[in-house]
């Protein structure tokens, strides 16, 4: 029997962080780099008020939100596109630029969605080598060929927690040909206290061949509403607008995000919380002989080579105590787990439990 033929799709499926493990009650989810404090109360109120209007379509071009973003970050609204998560911006960008035979460069342990979308849109993905979980401008440039169309960098990167300094980013852009688009994923930039770091938007506001992405899923605590945005030249943004689905950002996301952006006190609180706990957790990990990255974003990549038990057993032992971390199998990072900083009581419980399972 002849059946509808699905095109050949050679792409791996994204595996998200687990929310629960077996039948363990009241799991503590520290597996998806979500916000430790949740969304701003003002954002939640706007979400609540907006519920009477959910029978109406949302604005198709996220106009109101783009204007608020424009004022906040001092950028032009017609150079911003909003999407259902920054995820959708990666998807649309790959769709816009890539055809079969093109090449995309990602870093070896770079955020996996970049390479998934690049493959999905027919490109060959090349992975730049890393040393101590960080790639370099040289390793990226070595992979450039005539066919290179896009280079993706998450800065800081998930799941490694490492980052390119401001100077390295400037150097990378300088060394790439002008007709190669550099995508800088700023998902975690708000958490960064490191003096040699600058966000993609700060560095490349006036660049003609960079696209920067931002998300409401991390510091703003709106991961469940799916909202992110991209910033680039007017020409690129106009073209992305042509191919985006008409109502790609939902009403609830638009309502809540405007208030989340305005609530400076809440954002500050979330940053301070992260700064405080990342220092504390870093010291705890070191004390327990876990090899990890220096504090950067809201997570740590934990390697168990020097501990009595390996990462699989640690995962099980922690999960049996309700703590769900992220396995690193999909990233091919051996003997490691990723931990997301939680709220104060979750962190205290994690510190105590980790000490007890590694004794
Ligand atoms: C580096 C990085 N970029 C983007 C995202 C996804 O963001 P969004 O929820 O906006 O699609 C994540 C989520 O974990 C991430 O780690």
């Amino acid at each position: 029997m002849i059946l509808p033929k699905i095109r050949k799709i050679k792409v791996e499926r994204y595996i998200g962080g687990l929310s629960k493990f077996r039948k363990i009650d009241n799991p503590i989810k520290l597996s998806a780099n979500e916000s430790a404090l949740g969304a701003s109360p003002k954002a939640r109120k706007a979400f609540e008020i907006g519920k009477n209007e959910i029978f109406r379509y949302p604005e198709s071009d996220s106009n109101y939100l783009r204007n608020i973003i424009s004022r906040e970050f001092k950028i032009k609204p017609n150079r911003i596109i909003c999407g259902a998560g920054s995820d959708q911006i990666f998807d649309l960008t790959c769709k816009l630029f890539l055809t079969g035979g093109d090449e995309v460069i990602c870093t070896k342990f770079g955020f996996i969605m970049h390479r998934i979308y690049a493959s999905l849109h027919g490109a060959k993905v090349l992975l730049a080598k890393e040393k101590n979980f960080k790639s370099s401008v040289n390793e990226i440039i070595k992979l450039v060929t005539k066919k290179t169309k896009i280079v993706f960098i998450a800065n800081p990167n998930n799941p490694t927690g490492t980052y390119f300094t401001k100077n390295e980013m400037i150097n990378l852009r300088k060394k790439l040909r002008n007709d190669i688009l550099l995508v800088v994923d700023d998902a975690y930039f708000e958490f960064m206290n490191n003096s040699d770091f600058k966000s993609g938007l700060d560095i490349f506001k006036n660049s003609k061949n960079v696209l920067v992405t931002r998300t409401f899923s991390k510091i703003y605590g709106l991961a469940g509403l799916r909202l992110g945005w991209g910033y680039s030249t007017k020409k690129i943004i106009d073209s992305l607008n042509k191919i985006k689905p008409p109502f790609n950002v939902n009403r609830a996301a638009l309502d809540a995000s405007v208030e989340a952006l305005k609530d400076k006190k809440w954002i500050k609180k979330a940053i301070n919380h992260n700064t405080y706990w990342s220092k504390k957790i870093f010291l705890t990990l070191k004390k327990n002989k876990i090899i990890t990255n220096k504090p950067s974003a809201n997570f740590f990549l934990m390697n168990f080579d020097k501990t009595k038990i390996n990462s699989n057993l640690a995962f099980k032992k922690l999960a049996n105590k309700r703590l769900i971390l992220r396995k690193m199998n999909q990233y091919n990072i051996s003997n490691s787990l990723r931990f997301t900083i939680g709220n104060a009581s979750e962190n205290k419980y994690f510190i105590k439990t980790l000490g007890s399972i590694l004794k």
Side-chain angles (χ1 to χ4, degrees), residues 14 32-33 84-87 90 111 114 154 156 158 185 187-188 214-218 226-228:
Y14 182 73
N33 297 350
S86 41
D87 236 28
F90 308 138
F111 181 52
H114 301 157
N158 166 30
D185 177 348
Y188 299 94
R214 294 264 170 114
T215 182
F216 280 88
S217 300
K218 306 299 171 188
R226 312 303 305 124
L227 179 62

Side-chain angles (χ1 to χ4, degrees), residues 16 35 71 132 150 291 293 328 335:
S35 162
R71 251 179 276 155
N132 297 327
I150 303 180
I291 305 162
N293 54 284
M328 287 289 105
N335 205 17

Side-chain angles (χ1 to χ4, degrees), residues 3 9 33 35 44 97 106 108-109 113-114 166 180 186 194 214 221 247 254 260 263 273 341 350-351 354:
L3 291 169
I9 301 172
N33 297 350
S35 162
R44 283 189 276 146
F97 282 92
C106 299
K108 177 143 190 242
F109 302 114
M113 285 314 302
H114 301 157
K166 175 187 170 192
I180 297 173
D186 269 356
N194 319 52
R214 294 264 170 114
F247 302 105
L254 292 173
D263 195 347
H273 173 88
I341 293 171
F350 169 73
I351 291 172
L354 186 72

